[in-house]
Amino acid sequence: MNDQLARVIIAGLIVSGIVIGLMAQAWVKIRTSRNSSGEVTPAIDKRLERMEQAIESVAVEVERISEAQRFTAKLLADRAEQAPRQPERVITPR
């Protein structure tokens, strides 16, 4: 696996962990801050909307990164197929 692919995978895992952590944190706050009727307060509703927008933005960016990675990998694979093969040099002992 090349370094660039490893970096993309690690970045994706980090972003996913952050998003999951934020979602879990919001879920806990919703569960603990509901009023007696069980409705979500307007402040929590606004915060969830902002989180949803942020998560969608992150998802779009991760998709762009993965598309760029696939494109780069395809270019490198095509270049490797088209590159002329160098004859191997045989080193003979003296």
Side-chain angles (χ1 to χ4, degrees):
M1 183 170 8
N2 62 15
D3 289 340
Q4 189 176 12
L5 179 59
R7 288 182 185 147
V8 169
I9 291 171
I10 291 170
L13 290 173
I14 290 171
V15 169
S16 299
I18 291 170
V19 169
I20 291 170
L22 289 173
M23 289 172 51
Q25 200 174 31
W27 183 77
V28 168
K29 282 194 174 197
I30 289 172
R31 289 290 178 195
T32 58
S33 65
R34 286 187 182 219
N35 57 21
S36 60
S37 65
E39 295 178 10
V40 177
T41 63
I44 292 175
D45 194 36
K46 287 181 184 178
R47 181 176 177 166
L48 286 175
E49 285 180 31
R50 287 193 313 266
M51 283 182 57
E52 184 177 329
Q53 290 172 354
I55 290 168
E56 288 175 6
S57 299
V58 169
V60 168
E61 291 301 319
V62 168
E63 181 62 28
R64 286 182 61 211
I65 291 169
S66 64
E67 282 293 325
Q69 178 64 29
R70 282 192 289 269
F71 178 74
T72 304
K74 183 176 182 261
L75 284 180
L76 291 174
D78 291 345
R79 183 184 291 174
E81 289 174 1
Q82 295 173 356
R85 301 283 179 193
Q86 296 283 337
E88 291 186 27
R89 291 179 18 184
V90 177
I91 300 174
T92 56
R94 293 185 192 195

